[in-house]
């Protein structure tokens, strides 16, 4: 596709449930990033992939959060046992040789 | 990467130039200044970046002081569509694909 695609655009779930958020990066971009953004704050780094491997996962808040990119393209961010504090917009970005291109984000609401 | 300081908010009249300042007094010699913006309900969008020379593209101009401790992003003729949060980020030129670190940015409101 022409840009970074994220699905779903909105997800409402209940506390304790499992959630998956998907990111389809720009074709050919080897680096892929996940950020989380709470209201009134700038995006907060979570994890980035270089190809299939996680090059830096230092931003993941705890072991309930996990991300994969098995074929070096699409990535999935997985959140187990969701908590109300996980409510945020989750942004994905990809980078080829130039600058970061962001998707529109997935808004997660945990009730 | 060096930290940046930006005012939390600014207003600008439509059609006038918007000048957004950024302080980065601890910037080191190989660090670039990047600007991104985020329009409401969208992901951040790259605007421009520079090392020490002033830069201009179709979106904006970037003016970096001679000592590189501060910079200004200039939108020459602001429109209502330029209302957004603008982020100034400093990042090493040899950082490869290491992630950008965002602060809170400056919320620019363009007023008709």
């Amino acid at each position: 596709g022409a840009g970074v695609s994220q699905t779903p655009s909105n997800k409402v779930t209940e506390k304790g449930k499992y959630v998956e958020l998907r990111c389809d990066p720009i074709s050919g971009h080897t680096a892929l990033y996940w950020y989380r953004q709470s209201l009134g704050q700038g995006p907060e780094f979570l994890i980035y992939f270089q190809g299939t491997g996680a090059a830096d996962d230092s931003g993941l808040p705890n072991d309930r959060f996990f991300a994969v990119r098995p074929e070096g393209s699409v990535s999935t961010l997985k959140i187990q046992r969701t908590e109300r504090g996980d409510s945020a917009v989750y942004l994905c970005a990809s980078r080829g040789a130039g600058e970061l291109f962001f998707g529109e984000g997935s808004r997660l609401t945990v009730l | 990467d060096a930290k940046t300081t930006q005012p939390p908010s600014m207003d600008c009249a439509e059609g006038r130039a918007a000048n957004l300042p950024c302080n980065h007094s601890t910037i080191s010699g190989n660090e670039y200044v990047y600007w991104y913006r985020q329009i409401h309900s969208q992901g951040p969008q790259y605007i421009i970046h520079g090392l020490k020379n002033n830069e201009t593209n179709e979106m904006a101009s970037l003016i970096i002081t001679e000592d590189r401790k501060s910079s200004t992003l200039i939108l020459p003729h602001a429109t209502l569509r330029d209302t957004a949060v603008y982020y100034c980020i400093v990042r090493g030129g040899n950082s490869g694909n290491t992630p950008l670190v965002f602060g809170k940015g400056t919320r620019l409101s363009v007023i008709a």
Side-chain angles (χ1 to χ4, degrees):
Chain A
V4 177
S5 176
Q6 292 188 246
T7 55
S9 54
N10 275 287
K11 175 71 176 179
V12 180
T13 191
E14 294 178 342
K15 180 174 178 295
K17 298 289 188 183
Y18 170 78
V19 164
E20 287 191 352
L21 306 175
R22 175 188 166 111
C23 174
D24 202 335
I26 292 173
S27 178
H29 279 191
T30 57
L32 183 147
Y33 305 77
W34 284 100
Y35 285 79
R36 176 169 73 172
Q37 188 170 26
S38 301
L39 194 63
Q41 305 294 315
E44 172 194 11
F45 167 72
L46 297 177
I47 184 171
Y48 100 90
F49 290 86
Q50 186 63 47
T52 60
D56 183 350
D57 65 357
S58 62
L60 294 177
N62 51 59
D63 61 6
R64 294 187 298 105
F65 288 74
F66 191 70
V68 295
R69 195 186 185 201
E71 296 177 0
S73 178
V74 171
S75 176
T76 305
L77 178 66
K78 309 181 181 196
I79 311 173
Q80 298 177 317
R81 303 183 305 281
T82 52
E83 299 177 357
R84 292 195 180 91
D86 298 335
S87 296
V89 175
Y90 288 81
L91 293 163
C92 177
S94 70
R95 182 173 190 243
E99 305 318 312
L100 288 187
F101 291 87
F102 282 83
E104 303 269 297
S106 292
R107 179 177 298 278
L108 175 65
T109 303
V110 182
L111 301 177
Chain B
D1 295 333
K3 288 196 67 170
T4 63
T5 304
Q6 299 178 253
S9 64
M10 292 181 64
D11 292 340
C12 178
E14 189 179 21
R16 304 298 294 269
N19 298 285
L20 293 99
C22 180
N23 285 324
H24 30 78
S25 58
T26 60
I27 194 170
S28 60
N30 69 343
E31 289 185 314
Y32 286 74
V33 180
Y34 286 79
W35 284 83
Y36 280 74
R37 76 177 182 184
Q38 188 172 23
I39 294 169
H40 182 61
S41 296
Q42 296 183 22
Q45 173 193 24
Y46 167 79
I47 301 173
I48 198 167
H49 75 282
L51 182 63
K52 53 184 177 182
N53 296 325
N54 298 338
E55 301 288 345
T56 295
N57 63 20
E58 65 279 4
M59 290 182 70
S61 294
L62 174 60
I63 308 299
I64 302 174
T65 57
E66 194 168 338
D67 64 7
R68 303 211 319 124
K69 293 186 177 184
S70 65
S71 60
T72 302
L73 180 75
I74 301 173
L75 308 179
H77 305 287
T79 71
L80 298 178
R81 287 190 298 271
D82 293 320
T83 292
V85 178
Y86 288 76
Y87 298 98
C88 170
I89 302 165
V90 168
R91 186 166 178 270
N94 57 355
S95 295
N97 283 325
T98 55
L100 294 176
V101 178
F102 289 81
K104 289 191 176 182
T106 296
R107 180 173 299 278
L108 175 69
S109 297
V110 180
I111 302 164

